[in-house]
Amino acid sequence: MAMKSKVLIVGGTGYLGKRLVKASLAQGHETYVLHREEIGVDIEKVQMLLSFKQQGAHLVIGSFNDHQSLVKVVKLVDVVICAISGVHIRSHQILLQLKLVDAIKEAGNVKRFLPSEFGTDPARMENAMEPGRVTFDDKMVVRRAIEEAGIPFTYISANCFAGYFLGGLCQPGFILPSREQVRLLGDGNQKAIYVDEDDIATYSIKTIVDPRTLNKTVYIRPPQNILSQREVVQIWEKLIGKELLKSSISEQEFLAIMKEQDYAEQVGLTHYYHVCYEGCLANFEIGDGAEEASKLYPEVKYTTVEEYMTRYL
């Protein structure tokens, strides 16, 4: 019988957060969802929170602007998972987590903290380009605070969210695949790793009571999903029974176009650059002091790229 925990999800109504709530409940954990008192008339958010409650979650009120409210909520649980946004085109809130770190430190009862990571491992991105490196730099600031406070942690590196990358055939600015044409980034042969967002949540929740993942980075690298952009396109072509018209954008062209965009777009494009031109996600071996999720949890039947892409047919 797997151990059960009391889990607090911060950012539980977001893109990944709602999936973490669902996965935590599905795995039998007592699940708490933090929300602000002042939701205003955000009906979608209220409806989502009420649906969590109907599924058995506890709704708890707290605010990043009220330290004691955070401490009070943190004292209810053993595990804290933060999924606040680190994506500039939505909202970049990574450093807000420092307030959560202070609350966890004061409460003194948390057995595991999973900060908002879930992408590229920031510890490997010390040479990242401006302005996209801000995401990695901010995440490292949060990591240092966690480690200095002696808070037990797990860092989840989930690589590419399938919805963003597979939906657009790895082309920035697209989230639905064309049946006509595709633009390859460079030669389209750099490998990346694509993970269904529901699987990211399932694996993340699996780690919270696992002693093997304590104070470690866990990479989610489903072996069948380590593919190049070209291979992703070939899977789509096979599914639709048609070859796409292909063009390509060189590294120099990509960087020139990037420089013309506004700040938030440039941040996102920098990340695409590192993934698709440099292959930063798959060009290293997972060393000691880190784990790989699909090896730790072979019982999880992850969604393959091909299975994921059938939804666009």
Side-chain angles (χ1 to χ4, degrees):
M1 181 73 183
M3 270 170 49
K4 300 301 172 199
S5 275
K6 294 181 175 180
V7 181
L8 173 67
I9 314 250
V10 180
T13 56
Y15 183 64
L16 186 63
K18 63 188 176 197
R19 292 172 164 88
L20 288 162
V21 173
K22 196 174 140 197
S24 178
L25 289 166
Q27 291 178 40
H29 299 291
E30 197 173 322
T31 305
Y32 294 76
V33 182
L34 183 76
H35 70 92
R36 292 193 302 269
E37 200 158 19
E38 64 290 348
I39 295 181
V41 290
D42 190 341
I43 189 75
E44 301 267 348
K45 194 172 277 191
V46 170
Q47 299 275 320
M48 194 186 299
L49 288 165
L50 292 173
S51 82
F52 292 156
K53 194 174 171 184
Q54 285 167 324
Q55 292 164 56
H58 306 281
L59 305 183
V60 286
I61 290 172
S63 166
F64 280 106
N65 300 324
D66 177 355
H67 174 71
Q68 280 315 314
S69 77
L70 288 181
V71 174
K72 191 173 153 193
V73 170
V74 166
K75 281 186 171 169
L76 300 170
V77 299
D78 317 305
V79 175
V80 178
I81 303 176
C82 188
I84 58 177
S85 175
V87 183
H88 280 74
I89 54 168
R90 291 165 85 99
S91 65
H92 180 75
Q93 307 283 1
I94 293 299
L95 291 178
L96 262 186
Q97 294 180 101
L98 295 173
K99 296 184 176 188
L100 194 53
V101 170
D102 288 341
I104 292 169
K105 188 175 170 184
E106 186 176 321
N109 58 295
V110 168
K111 297 187 179 74
R112 196 78 64 99
F113 177 38
L114 276 61
S116 188
E117 292 258 346
F118 307 111
T120 306
D121 178 4
R124 303 193 64 87
M125 299 304 290
E126 62 272 11
N127 297 319
M129 268 193 319
E130 297 285 0
R133 66 170 301 134
V134 65
T135 309
F136 311 122
D137 292 343
D138 285 359
K139 286 179 176 180
M140 290 307 292
V141 168
V142 173
R143 284 189 179 196
R144 280 192 289 275
I146 291 167
E147 290 167 32
E148 280 165 19
I151 296 165
F153 64 84
T154 299
Y155 302 140
I156 305 286
S157 175
N159 299 297
C160 298
F161 282 17
Y164 280 98
F165 275 79
L166 297 180
L169 301 175
C170 312
Q171 302 168 100
F174 295 90
I175 54 171
L176 279 173
S178 167
R179 288 167 177 257
E180 304 301 327
Q181 59 198 31
V182 64
R183 206 160 190 202
L184 298 172
L185 302 184
D187 60 12
N189 289 328
Q190 289 286 4
K191 300 275 188 190
I193 303 152
Y194 313 95
V195 191
D196 181 325
E197 292 84 344
D198 292 330
D199 293 342
I200 294 173
T202 298
Y203 283 127
S204 299
I205 299 296
K206 287 261 181 198
T207 69
I208 65 179
V209 289
D210 188 343
R212 298 172 296 176
T213 61
L214 179 63
N215 297 336
K216 285 185 180 175
T217 296
V218 175
Y219 296 94
I220 306 179
R221 280 188 173 186
Q224 285 178 266
N225 292 6
I226 304 172
L227 301 167
S228 67
Q229 182 187 16
R230 223 174 247 283
E231 289 168 320
V232 168
V233 170
Q234 281 164 356
I235 287 169
W236 178 238
E237 289 175 328
K238 184 181 132 192
L239 287 171
I240 62 171
K242 178 184 173 190
E243 204 171 314
L244 300 185
L245 183 67
K246 295 174 192 71
S247 58
S248 146
I249 176 166
S250 73
E251 201 171 323
Q252 289 68 35
E253 286 174 286
F254 185 90
L255 292 172
I257 291 167
M258 185 178 101
K259 291 203 167 40
E260 291 166 9
Q261 310 304 312
D262 65 28
Y263 177 78
E265 293 286 344
Q266 282 192 44
V267 170
L269 288 172
T270 311
H271 298 171
Y272 268 89
Y273 174 80
H274 290 301
V275 170
C276 298
Y277 287 96
E278 295 183 343
C280 70
L281 299 179
N283 65 0
F284 63 93
E285 294 298 316
I286 295 169
D288 297 339
E291 300 288 348
E292 196 285 305
S294 68
K295 285 198 183 91
L296 288 179
Y297 313 112
E299 71 279 8
V300 174
K301 193 195 168 307
Y302 67 84
T303 306
T304 65
V305 168
E306 184 161 347
E307 287 163 350
Y308 191 92
M309 295 198 75
T310 57
R311 71 191 60 194
Y312 299 113
L313 290 173

